[in-house]
Amino acid sequence: MAAWRVVAPGPVSGRPLELGRDAIPAPEPGELLVRVLACGVCRTDLHVTEGDLPVHRPRVTPGHEVVGEVAALGDSAGESFAVGDRVGIAWLRYTCGRCAACLRGAENLCRQSRYTGWDADGGYAEYATVPAGYALRLPGGYADTELAPLLCAGIIGYRALERAAVPDGGALGIYGFGGSAHLTAQVALTRGARVHVMTRGAQARELAERLGVTSVQEVRDTPPEPLDSAILFAPVGDLVPVAMEALADGGTLAVAGIHLTDIPALDYQRHLFRERQIRSVTANTRSDSADFLRIAAEHRLSIDVHPYPLDRADRALRDLAGGKFSGAAVLEP
């Protein structure tokens, strides 16, 4: 099968990825073998490829927004899925199920957790494997390329929205407007929030306007009203004080990314006093995935997709790094 591997983590301009031919993996006990139909290109893939995240698996195949068809079942894979079923493979791949975090329903904080496209090979390939207990059932009414971004961009955006604690009918600020943000904004709108988007790209601003958000401005502009909640999607630590200063009393900023550049010093009175707070977002639980995909089934989300053939995955990552598109890039075999 064709598969990309991160051979030398570094800037995507230096071509750290290599496309080669690998044997089709055999599913381990409890796993499914999945023929990849589409794989989203996530900013986390960029962080893995460029070395912003430490190497967990040398020469890993990136990709954790995988839509596919079950091709084979490993021993003890159970009866939840059958050959031919359409399934999703997402970022979360394994948790221990025994630690304090897992037992209290916070499996995203399990210290033994493992991730697709970082600890195990992912979907920048023609086939991938997934433990059956972490494979996702997918909603109908979407094309494969539309479903792919839901499996991380959508899920992690949903968790960030929950962490931001937007009150009913409240004002939500979104900083950065790419694959995850454009889905999160739509979920917030279905809940009656007023959504203010701050982003630097002209294409991203046009997309936000098409989706019907309340206002759109440059990334460092002051929104037209104090924000009850905000989500920082851009991996730019310099924007933390900008977003904190825009919060109303008691407001919450959720930082959605797995990687963030350094945060400048915060001024207590300007940024934190009057019970304003910052919350990080760490991966997601399988419950988050089920809840978000249920929302996607109930509300037809508009997904801005930019398809690339599998053999142009390196180009897709360079375009992502360069802000060449709004919405989400998706690889097709």
Side-chain angles (χ1 to χ4, degrees), residues 183-203:
L183 297 171
T184 306
Q186 293 177 69
V187 175
L189 288 169
T190 69
R191 296 177 170 184
R194 299 184 304 284
V195 178
H196 303 287
V197 171
M198 280 63 70
T199 188
R200 67 180 183 178
Q203 291 183 62

Side-chain angles (χ1 to χ4, degrees), residues 134-220:
Y134 292 80
L136 301 177
R137 297 217 174 261
L138 300 172
Y142 294 91
D144 295 333
T145 53
E146 292 177 311
L147 285 167
L150 301 183
L151 297 174
C152 181
I155 292 168
I156 203 67
Y158 171 76
R159 184 165 185 89
L161 186 62
E162 295 295 288
R163 294 282 289 164
V166 188
D168 291 345
L172 170 68
I174 291 179
Y175 289 81
F177 203 74
S180 190
H182 92 288
L183 297 171
T184 306
Q186 293 177 69
V187 175
L189 288 169
T190 69
R191 296 177 170 184
R194 299 184 304 284
V195 178
H196 303 287
V197 171
M198 280 63 70
T199 188
R200 67 180 183 178
Q203 291 183 62
R205 291 196 295 272
E206 291 171 5
L207 174 59
E209 289 171 350
R210 289 202 305 274
L211 293 175
V213 302
T214 307
S215 76
V216 183
Q217 42 268 312
E218 291 285 345
V219 70
R220 294 180 183 274

Side-chain angles (χ1 to χ4, degrees), residues 210-251:
R210 289 202 305 274
L211 293 175
V213 302
T214 307
S215 76
V216 183
Q217 42 268 312
E218 291 285 345
V219 70
R220 294 180 183 274
D221 288 350
T222 301
E225 64 176 317
L227 303 174
D228 298 300
S229 305
I231 303 173
L232 176 59
F233 285 104
V236 181
D238 284 348
L239 291 177
V240 169
V242 174
M244 293 300 294
E245 196 161 358
L247 289 177
D249 293 350

Side-chain angles (χ1 to χ4, degrees), residues 5 15 23 45 80-81 84 88 93 96 111 114 129 144 148 176 204 224 228 264 267 307 318 320:
R5 295 202 174 272
R15 301 183 183 277
D45 301 335
S80 296
F81 297 99
R93 183 181 185 88
C96 75
R111 291 288 184 173
R114 299 290 180 268
T129 62
D144 295 333
D228 298 300
D267 180 278
R318 289 197 298 273
L320 174 62

